[in-house]
Amino acid sequence: MTEKTQVCIIGAGPAGLLLGHLLRAEGVECVVLERQTPDYVLGRIRAGVLEQITVSLMERLGLDGRLKAEGLPHDGFNLADGERLIRIDIADLTGQHVVVYGQTELTRDLMDAREERGLEVIYEAADVALHDVEGDAPYVTFTKDGAQRRIDARFIAGCDGFHGPSRRAIPAGVGMEYEREYPFGWLGILADVPPCNHELIYANHERGFALASMRSATRSRYYVDVPLTEKLEDWPDERVWDELAIRLGPEAAAHITRGPSIEKSIAPLRSFVFAPMRHGSLLLCGDSAHIVPPTGAKGLNLAASDVHYAAEALIGFFKGKGGEAIAGYSDKALARVWKSERFSWSLTKLMHRFPDDGPFERAMQVAELDYIASSRAARTSIAENYVGLPV
Ligand code: APR
Ligand code: PHB
């Protein structure tokens, strides 16, 4: 059975759902294909700092109700280096703020609105394969409830994350991969306890990195970096709490409330970019085209800016404005991607102890933190990257 649509979106994570809603809101026909079940997608614990672009897209869709009610506006964050806490006053330095709101909640808001907004999402779509992406009549095949299906589309949007099929549908030799893997992972713990600080704290301690974050006034999210050889079973909750108390410093430690983890996992860190982000009628958005280490909280927000550009180009095309914006999508998206990749990489380099680092590298970290502490210009640079560069 062959179905037809204007844009076939692969992946119902934040990128795919945001794009689908934006297209539907402007009358562009689309179908979203998702390999997993809704519960599986919602079961993923991800970061939770939203830049203005992400908030603006939810506002534009009128899906920002819960975000407005439950999101926590933050005017600053902190860099800790042993005893010292350096506050980056993003409101004073940029006139903007970020909003702390779990990615899972944003995905839930987008999922909950699909029926009311007429967004068709086919979950448990297996064996998704892309065909003829180089021409102007691409199609997607997949299996649903044992039945082979085909969707013909004018464009395919690959929003299927780092491990999805879209990037791999671009012939070898067309694109270029840029990658850096990091020699540590982040062990994250989620607990229903109040945060130790009203703002985020990123800490560079001689024992390693720590991050104190939150989901609400009663739910905290913490991380410590661990060697890639570490196993979760080597980290009972008490050991995580003990390590956090040391790495975050005495002031924060005095305000840590311990409690049982409701989620605990270790994730590797990677910087990755695939260019170009468009090939023929296939546009890549979000993690399918790039990955950032979570240090800068850029992953979701980069997916949002990609989707902003892709939606603008696709809506323009179907409103008869031609294909110029489609042709320019990759360059436009990559210009912002590369700047966020640089920020995430540089903050990771500044706030982590790398196994191969020697005294000189540590001295560079100390000097850079001293410079940030003493220079409004340095803090402004960090602040404008953290709140999100212009779209
Ligand atoms: N067929 C259909 N769907 C697929 C396939 C496939 N073969 N492979 C992957 N998917 C789905 C995944 O199940 C997932 O729901 O694509 C979706 C991709 O979603 P994400 O990985 O969340 O990527 P994205 O929407 O770009 O959001 C980026 O997610 O990984 C975090 O840190 C990242 O915060 C950033 C955000
Ligand atoms: C989180 O709250 O999960 C979080 C916050 C900031 C980051 C990474 C993760 O940089």
Side-chain angles (χ1 to χ4, degrees), residues 103-114:
Q103 174 178 315
T104 306
E105 301 318 311
L106 184 133
T107 304
R108 190 194 312 277
D109 295 336
L110 293 166
M111 284 168 69
D112 290 349
R114 58 189 200 274

Side-chain angles (χ1 to χ4, degrees), residues 3-295:
E3 300 143 80
K4 207 164 175 50
T5 190
Q6 290 176 315
V7 182
C8 184
I9 298 170
I10 301 176
L17 291 175
L18 257 179
L19 180 60
H21 276 299
L22 288 167
L23 295 179
R24 286 298 298 129
E26 296 292 331
V28 176
E29 294 165 19
C30 58
V31 178
V32 185
L33 300 179
E34 167 56 52
R35 177 169 64 178
Q36 305 293 354
T37 63
D39 286 347
Y40 186 97
V41 172
L42 287 174
R44 295 186 188 117
I45 302 294
R46 293 278 168 71
V49 176
L50 307 188
E51 291 177 2
Q52 190 52 46
I53 177 58
T54 309
V55 175
S56 304
L57 290 177
M58 294 299 279
E59 287 171 344
R60 174 174 154 187
L61 289 167
L63 296 178
D64 59 325
R66 218 157 58 95
L67 168 54
K68 285 273 184 300
E70 298 172 21
L72 304 172
H74 277 211
D75 289 341
F77 69 98
N78 302 274
L79 301 177
D81 184 34
E83 307 297 306
R84 174 173 54 177
L85 208 56
I86 304 167
R87 183 163 187 268
I88 308 295
D89 186 339
I90 55 180
D92 172 49
L93 294 163
T94 69
Q96 299 178 63
H97 62 269
V98 293
V99 177
V100 172
Y101 187 68
Q103 174 178 315
T104 306
E105 301 318 311
L106 184 133
T107 304
R108 190 194 312 277
D109 295 336
L110 293 166
M111 284 168 69
D112 290 349
R114 58 189 200 274
E115 203 167 323
E116 164 214 336
R117 300 294 176 89
L119 177 61
E120 183 183 4
V121 183
I122 301 176
Y123 286 93
E124 297 180 271
D127 315 317
V128 168
L130 293 78
H131 308 272
D132 295 351
V133 298
E134 296 181 323
D136 58 9
Y139 65 94
V140 177
T141 55
F142 64 101
T143 310
K144 172 69 178 171
D145 301 331
Q148 269 290 340
R149 291 174 58 177
R150 164 173 167 159
I151 296 180
D152 288 9
R154 176 62 190 83
F155 293 99
I156 299 174
C159 303
D160 43 342
F162 185 68
H163 301 290
S166 293
R167 185 175 69 249
R168 295 171 178 82
I170 296 176
V174 168
M176 177 88 175
E177 293 189 354
Y178 305 79
E179 185 162 21
R180 162 140 198 210
E181 294 186 349
Y182 294 86
F184 37 70
W186 276 19
L187 184 153
I189 185 170
L190 193 66
D192 280 331
V193 293
C196 68
N197 189 297
H198 68 293
E199 293 177 335
L200 273 64
I201 301 173
Y202 295 79
N204 176 338
H205 186 275
E206 63 187 4
R207 291 170 66 95
F209 170 83
L211 170 58
S213 182
M214 64 201 73
R215 289 291 175 271
S216 70
T218 58
R219 177 167 286 192
S220 296
R221 178 69 168 163
Y222 289 98
Y223 299 90
V224 289
D225 82 311
V226 294
L228 290 171
T229 50
E230 288 292 280
K231 299 273 179 294
L232 212 47
E233 51 265 29
D234 301 331
W235 286 84
D237 288 3
E238 276 322 297
R239 183 182 176 193
V240 180
W241 292 119
D242 290 344
E243 198 60 33
L244 282 164
I246 296 167
R247 296 187 187 186
L248 287 168
E251 171 63 21
H255 295 90
I256 289 179
T257 305
R258 299 186 179 208
S261 59
I262 54 178
E263 194 274 346
K264 187 163 60 177
S265 52
I266 298 177
L269 272 64
R270 179 198 315 268
S271 294
F272 175 85
V273 175
F274 180 87
M277 289 176 58
R278 180 186 69 85
H279 181 63
S281 299
L282 169 61
L283 286 76
L284 302 179
C285 301
D287 275 16
S288 64
H290 43 72
I291 297 287
V292 283
T295 325

Side-chain angles (χ1 to χ4, degrees), residues 342-376:
R342 183 210 63 81
F343 174 68
S344 304
W345 162 78
S346 68
L347 197 57
T348 303
K349 203 160 53 79
L350 176 63
M351 299 309 290
H352 292 73
R353 305 292 172 100
F354 287 67
D356 296 342
D357 276 3
F360 177 78
E361 286 74 17
R362 177 57 191 152
M364 289 299 98
Q365 289 184 335
V366 171
E368 187 169 349
L369 287 160
D370 274 347
Y371 173 49
I372 292 165
S374 60
S375 161
R376 181 181 173 86

